[in-house]
Amino acid sequence: MTTKKLLRALAGEAQPTPPVWMMRQAGRYLPEYRAVRARAGDFLSLCYTPDLAAEVTLQPIRRYSFDAAILFADILLVPQALGAELWFADGEGPRLSPVTTAADIDALAEAAAVHERLAPVYQTVRILSRELPAQTALIGFAGAPWTVATYMIAGRGTPDQAPAHRLKDEAPKAFDRLIDRLTGATIEYLSAQIDAGAEVVKLFDSWAGSLAPADFARYAVAPARQIIAALKQRHPGIPVIAFPRGAGSGYAGFARATGADCVALDQTVAPEWAARHVQVDGCVQGNLAPRHLIGGGQALIDETRAIVRAFRHGPHIFNLGHGITPDADPANVRLMLEALADA
Ligand code: CP3
């Protein structure tokens, strides 16, 4: 049996102190990240320069000894590898050449073609699997098809994912082809990350919460099930974490329906509810509100302890409900870790 705490939780073990890592743990709240980011020039160059991407992945591990490192990359590298243009306008977030017609979708590259463009990401994984401390698990990741499609169709982030909903409702055949194309590319991409040394993979469906129940089953559950089934066939024993953010009551049964080994919870679900309705099926991850790492203080300590206590009878990975924000105070991360050790 592995001694890595994160892998033990994913195998179903309840631990007195849960393993911990944070979404966006390599990021702008860390001065050492901002320094390397400035050296790289821009965000995408950082993603595609293996030595620098590995360096920023390792920074939060050195500082906080988290139980897992998450590969430094981005979910939007896949659309770029499929042929979309991608750039990051400083302070404005991602921009892509929009994919809005059946012809745009048919012009995208085949799934297996992603490897050429994404080879530097696999190289980052190889460096990390060599350099990480023995007790630290390495997590690879990709965006889930629905979430990636929302960015591709709008050409940018949107508050309500309206352009993707419109294409789904008005041109369902074309939309389904896009989801299928992304499902295939995601299987290839995650499989190659595992071949390079990722020990766990995570599927980020950040906008799953905007899907009504029937669409949630079709565009969040079904693609996740397909991706996980293909990965389990190729790489038995590699655990998968699924994050259908905003799923609400849809979190119940999600692990069973998709085959995920762990479901990541956002901060809108009560830990006591999730312990009863989600953790019954296996490991859960989450779900401290990221704002506590801005505010800190007793609220951070109390919330951290309440989450640990609610999940203490089953397998749990402590994490945030979403990514840590650039205005978070690195000292509050330390406070969170102390509260965790002493819950
Ligand atoms: O978690 C980590 O530390 C690993 C790296 C990682 C990044 N993005 C780096 C990043 C991961 C796992 C992601 C996932 C990601 N990217 C998601 C899913 C998770 C979520 O947050 O919901 C999404 C939707 C994206 C797309 C994306 N990338 C957006 C919308 C933005 C702009 C918003 C922002 O936070 O700036 C990015 C940029 C991005 N990805 C940054 C980082 C560290 C900031 C860029 C910078 O340094 O300038």
Side-chain angles (χ1 to χ4, degrees):
M1 183 65 171
T2 175
T3 56
K4 295 191 186 189
K5 283 189 68 155
L6 188 98
L7 299 181
R8 280 163 46 198
L10 288 167
E13 189 184 320
Q15 297 170 67
T17 303
V20 54
W21 67 281
M22 297 190 309
M23 282 187 264
R24 291 282 175 95
Q25 64 191 17
R28 288 161 292 183
Y29 74 106
L30 290 179
E32 61 268 35
Y33 170 85
R34 296 195 297 268
V36 175
R37 166 89 160 64
R39 191 138 63 86
D42 63 278
F43 173 67
L44 284 175
S45 303
L46 181 50
C47 291
Y48 287 121
T49 308
D51 287 335
L52 296 183
E55 169 59 22
V56 296
T57 305
L58 290 164
Q59 286 172 343
I61 306 305
R62 289 194 199 107
R63 199 189 255 259
Y64 300 114
S65 302
F66 289 124
D67 294 291
I70 183 160
L71 163 69
F72 189 85
D74 198 83
I75 67 165
L76 300 177
L77 303 187
V78 166
Q80 189 181 32
L82 290 172
E85 280 176 53
L86 170 68
W87 67 102
F88 280 80
D90 245 342
E92 285 182 49
R95 291 286 187 280
L96 300 97
S97 50
V99 166
T100 53
T101 64
D104 293 340
I105 292 162
D106 290 336
L108 294 170
E110 294 297 329
V114 300
H115 295 313
E116 195 180 330
R117 185 97 200 212
L118 295 169
V121 177
Y122 310 148
Q123 183 56 25
T124 305
V125 175
R126 277 186 220 102
I127 296 171
L128 287 167
S129 65
R130 241 183 7 241
E131 297 200 354
L132 278 169
Q135 69 277 15
T136 315
L138 177 56
I139 304 174
F141 74 93
W146 161 250
T147 287
V148 173
T150 66
Y151 288 95
M152 292 177 82
I153 294 163
R156 58 191 299 162
T158 47
D160 53 4
Q161 298 75 58
H165 282 286
R166 207 174 311 120
L167 190 72
K168 163 174 67 61
D169 297 339
E170 291 172 6
K173 282 214 179 82
F175 182 80
D176 284 1
R177 278 217 300 288
L178 177 58
I179 293 293
D180 287 346
R181 187 66 60 95
L182 288 170
T183 300
T186 303
I187 291 166
E188 290 300 321
Y189 181 44
L190 290 176
S191 190
Q193 291 181 30
I194 294 167
D195 284 334
E199 299 170 283
V200 178
V201 292
K202 179 168 175 186
L203 204 49
F204 284 90
D205 211 348
S206 303
W207 298 115
S210 79
L211 293 165
D215 282 345
F216 184 82
R218 183 157 177 184
Y219 297 116
V221 174
R225 181 174 60 229
Q226 237 182 299
I227 292 164
I228 293 168
L231 292 175
K232 293 285 177 190
Q233 196 174 17
R234 293 191 202 180
H235 311 277
I238 295 290
V240 181
I241 304 173
F243 182 35
R245 187 170 75 95
S249 58
Y251 273 121
F254 194 82
R256 248 177 298 139
T258 60
D261 300 273
C262 175
V263 176
L265 305 163
D266 66 78
Q267 64 270 20
T268 66
V269 292
E272 296 75 16
W273 177 87
R276 254 182 297 126
H277 297 281
V278 189
Q279 202 184 27
V280 284
D281 292 327
C283 189
V284 292
Q285 176 177 285
N287 66 341
L288 182 73
R291 66 182 165 79
H292 287 301
L293 296 172
I294 306 167
Q298 198 58 41
L300 166 61
I301 296 169
D302 292 346
E303 266 309 298
T304 299
R305 289 183 176 157
I307 291 166
V308 173
R309 286 178 189 157
F311 291 126
R312 74 177 353 149
H313 299 297
H316 175 217
I317 297 166
F318 191 89
N319 203 307
L320 311 183
H322 200 197
I324 187 169
T325 52
D327 53 350
D329 181 346
N332 286 334
V333 177
R334 183 92 44 213
L335 191 60
M336 176 189 83
L337 294 173
E338 284 163 11
L340 199 60
D342 182 31

